[in-house]
Amino acid sequence: MGQALASLAEAARTTSLERAQDEYDTLFIGLPRGELVPYASFYRTGFLYERPLAKLRGDMEKLGYARADHVAEPEDHMGALCELMALLIRGGEGRGPAELATQERLFRQHLAPWGERFFTDLELAPSAKLYRPLGTAGRLFVTIENQAFAMAA
């Protein structure tokens, strides 16, 4: 994990903001679409706005979280899921960390089923330069979390 984060830091130091934006657009936006579609619904069903998104919205509501009004992206975007996991782990928005069982449930239901595959695809994406080490770090995070939750059981 340390090597992946060091590689990400080095890539960030040597990548201009314009180049980072171009890479993001190529990877995730593109025409007609980017190299990767970073949504759980797409990875798990082949379509956007499907059952994984509906289940996530229900779980977020139970936890008292909702998509910000100014955000157009569906909540099952990998970046949003990682942000939600970070909130559950460290606390935030006036809350303490969520119970470990809550963290595990959200991880197992919404990240584990597709996270490793997505991050591996990001590592292997032809256009990924800055994002390649992020893919490595993400893949390792999913692997470590799976192992940690298994040990805690």
Side-chain angles (χ1 to χ4, degrees), residues 90-101:
R90 74 170 188 272
E93 298 185 6
R95 307 170 196 215
E99 293 181 9
L100 186 59

Side-chain angles (χ1 to χ4, degrees), residues 14-83:
T14 60
T15 303
S16 69
L17 183 58
E18 180 180 277
R19 175 67 191 116
Q21 183 64 57
D22 288 346
E23 185 174 326
Y24 181 88
D25 290 347
T26 299
L27 286 168
F28 305 116
I29 308 291
L31 290 173
R33 69 170 210 210
E35 289 178 39
L36 301 174
V37 181
Y39 300 97
S41 289
F42 187 83
Y43 261 79
R44 297 178 72 186
T45 71
F47 300 97
L48 295 174
Y49 298 98
E50 289 293 324
R51 179 165 280 154
L53 176 58
K55 287 182 177 181
L56 175 62
R57 285 177 173 166
D59 285 345
M60 287 176 61
E61 185 177 336
K62 288 176 192 169
L63 293 169
Y65 290 103
R67 181 178 70 193
D69 291 336
H70 68 280
V71 175
E73 299 273 349
E75 297 90 318
D76 65 341
H77 187 284
M78 180 54 83
L81 284 170
C82 289
E83 186 175 349

Side-chain angles (χ1 to χ4, degrees), residues 95-150:
R95 307 170 196 215
E99 293 181 9
L100 186 59
T102 300
Q103 294 175 32
E104 181 178 9
R105 187 177 52 76
L106 191 116
F107 175 80
R108 292 221 182 275
Q109 291 179 1
H110 301 293
L111 265 163
W114 70 289
E116 190 171 344
R117 187 166 43 121
F118 169 77
F119 284 121
T120 298
D121 289 348
L122 182 55
E123 283 181 284
L124 300 174
S127 297
K129 307 291 184 276
L130 171 64
Y131 284 86
R132 181 166 287 124
L134 181 63
T136 303
R139 178 181 50 78
L140 291 170
F141 166 77
V142 173
T143 300
I144 291 167
E145 288 298 295
N146 269 318
Q147 292 172 352
F149 285 130

